[in-house]
Amino acid sequence: PIADGWECPPLEKEEQVRRGGQPPKGFEVPSPVGRGALAAGAASEPECSSLPRSRGAANPAMESPKRQKASKSASEQIDVDSKPPLQFKDGQQNFIETDALDISTHLFNPAAEYKMNHKRRGLALIFNHERFYWQLMLPERRGTLADRENLKRSLTELGFEVKCFDDLKAEDVLQNIYNVSTTSHEDADCFMCIFLSHGEDNHVYAYDAKIQIQTLTSMFKGDKCPSLVGKPKIFIIQACRGDKHDDPVIAADAVDSIADKSDVNETEVDAAAVYTLPAGADFLMCYSVAEGYYSHRETVNGSWYIQDLCDMIRRHGSSLEFMELLTLVNRKVAHRKVDVCRDIHALGKKQIPCFASMLTKKLYFYPKST
């Protein structure tokens, strides 16, 4: 339908204009849109300005002033909303995104705890390395046997089934961990793995070769060990992580006098460095020292970190939340300093442990009911 009072020019007149003739009075020639214009983004067909609009799309000239004002307002609003997103130098755009899941905050209970009332506490593996293959040129770790026995006693008191392995080759370490990861942990509260060795970067040393820490943790992720999904998986790494000592802020106290030199409890440092590595949900990575610093080990009593960790477990393991307990361990180790060491540059130096928690709930090791 054509609006009243308007006539569409005959097609032959338009053809006459295209052949070079003069356009009739009141007729405007539409601008042709070529392929180049279309490639540049032209989205509409050529339109004769004299041609009327259909009744379904009324001519602006025939609209009431009130409707024209409303149309103008709507057009301005569209112009504002359709502005292109901000462009950054790297070509990325600034979009506003919303989370896919809208979970009410009341579902997140800040006091939520891991379920620790399964039939078993779980397995605790201790890989203890004192001696190494000669080609690795790594020194013996005197005092590590004290760490092993200390851990075994403390973790048994917490209810763990403890298995110890000494100076295993890398292949045997991986095989043992694989065997444990493929067994069922349905009736267990959690899992713990402890490595006492030298380390560097993201590796720890077995007897004959180094092992990537992520290789150890990956075996216990949900797709590899479904029976531990949603349960705490704790890895404790006692290994040196750097080439620096932590200097004390205040002057070191005088070194205690030692009467019997045969019973000297010297402090040694473990070689190389280990990086802090994330592992996945419900993992807890505990390191004997912050990244870039030495981990100290006494030749008689064992490492500072394991000594203080076991002491806090025996005192507060069944009552304190485990993150709070680890914080106490950090504080206790931080108050130590090197008193006796063959390396004079290590005298008076300090150490601070660290832990990276990917736990999603609070962790308590309540006593198991007998």
Side-chain angles (χ1 to χ4, degrees):
I2 305 300
D4 297 337
W6 290 85
E7 291 184 1
C8 181
L11 293 178
E12 55 268 20
K13 292 183 179 180
E14 182 178 351
E15 183 68 18
Q16 180 181 358
V17 172
R18 290 178 179 175
R19 292 179 180 179
Q22 295 296 324
K25 186 176 180 181
F27 180 81
E28 295 181 9
V29 181
S31 301
V33 180
R35 294 182 180 178
L38 287 174
S44 60
E45 296 180 357
E47 182 177 302
C48 177
S49 60
S50 300
L51 291 179
R53 300 171 184 240
S54 64
R55 295 184 188 272
N59 193 313
M62 301 178 65
E63 294 179 347
S64 64
K66 184 181 292 185
R67 177 173 293 182
Q68 290 181 14
K69 183 176 181 181
S71 299
K72 182 178 180 182
S73 175
S75 175
E76 291 175 353
Q77 181 65 35
I78 291 173
D79 288 340
V80 172
D81 291 343
S82 61
K83 285 184 178 180
L86 295 176
Q87 296 285 342
F88 294 100
K89 291 182 179 180
D90 57 0
Q92 295 182 353
Q93 295 180 342
N94 180 27
F95 291 104
I96 297 177
E97 298 180 355
T98 57
D99 293 335
L101 297 176
D102 183 16
I103 303 177
S104 301
T105 55
H106 72 273
L107 295 179
F108 291 96
N109 180 6
E113 301 176 9
Y114 282 103
K115 182 181 177 182
M116 302 295 283
N117 58 354
H118 294 85
K119 183 179 179 180
R120 300 185 297 122
R121 179 72 79 200
L123 272 176
L125 306 182
I126 301 176
F127 294 95
N128 175 55
H129 295 273
E130 182 178 13
R131 298 177 177 85
F132 301 87
Y133 186 51
W134 67 272
Q135 286 189 341
L136 296 178
M137 300 181 68
L138 293 173
E140 291 185 5
R141 299 183 63 255
R142 295 185 299 163
T144 189
L145 294 180
D147 284 344
R148 183 196 65 187
E149 294 305 311
N150 209 355
L151 284 165
K152 184 177 180 179
R153 182 170 59 255
S154 300
L155 296 179
T156 300
E157 292 177 1
L158 275 188
F160 281 96
E161 178 188 351
V162 182
K163 293 185 177 181
C164 299
F165 305 92
D166 295 324
D167 297 338
L168 290 186
K169 294 182 179 180
E171 181 180 359
D172 297 328
V173 170
L174 294 176
Q175 185 63 54
N176 276 279
I177 291 182
Y178 173 78
N179 292 341
V180 171
S181 69
T182 54
T183 59
S184 176
H185 301 265
E186 293 290 347
D187 61 344
D189 294 336
C190 59
F191 168 76
M192 183 179 290
C193 181
I194 303 172
F195 228 91
L196 311 174
S197 184
H198 291 300
E200 67 176 0
D201 298 335
N202 57 341
H203 296 78
V204 287
Y205 278 95
Y207 172 76
D208 61 341
K210 58 185 179 181
I211 303 173
Q212 192 170 11
I213 295 176
Q214 287 179 325
T215 302
L216 307 178
T217 58
S218 65
M219 296 187 195
F220 295 93
K221 291 189 175 181
D223 57 336
K224 303 289 180 60
C225 188
S227 60
L228 279 175
V229 170
K231 298 179 180 181
K233 294 165 279 286
I234 305 167
F235 284 78
I236 299 176
I237 310 296
Q238 165 58 47
C240 196
R241 305 184 55 218
D243 55 1
K244 294 181 249 182
H245 283 101
D246 198 356
D247 292 316
V249 177
I250 58 176
D253 295 336
V255 178
D256 294 335
S257 59
I258 300 173
D260 188 357
K261 294 294 183 180
S262 62
D263 294 330
V264 170
N265 181 34
E266 290 185 304
T267 301
E268 297 182 346
V269 292
D270 289 324
V274 177
Y275 294 157
T276 303
L277 299 171
D282 304 307
F283 278 82
L284 174 62
M285 307 297 295
C286 307
Y287 298 93
S288 63
V289 66
E291 187 170 317
Y293 289 88
Y294 282 125
S295 178
H296 299 90
R297 173 177 31 83
E298 295 176 355
T299 56
V300 174
N301 299 326
S303 63
W304 291 358
Y305 178 64
I306 298 300
Q307 286 183 59
D308 293 339
L309 174 64
C310 292
D311 181 51
M312 290 296 104
I313 288 176
R314 284 192 293 270
R315 290 169 181 252
H316 311 291
S318 59
S319 58
L320 268 185
E321 199 278 326
F322 201 62
M323 297 301 98
E324 296 178 7
L325 185 145
L326 291 176
T327 303
L328 288 181
V329 174
N330 287 1
R331 186 197 309 172
K332 200 165 188 294
V333 174
H335 280 82
R336 288 177 175 261
K337 67 179 184 300
V338 178
D339 288 335
V340 180
C341 184
R342 294 180 182 180
D343 180 5
I344 61 173
H345 299 289
L347 295 176
K349 303 299 184 179
K350 303 179 75 66
Q351 174 184 336
I352 180 68
C354 68
F355 57 89
S357 174
M358 285 134 287
L359 300 182
T360 56
K361 301 176 184 178
K362 293 185 177 182
L363 176 58
Y364 287 90
F365 290 100
Y366 297 121
K368 285 288 183 185
S369 58
T370 55

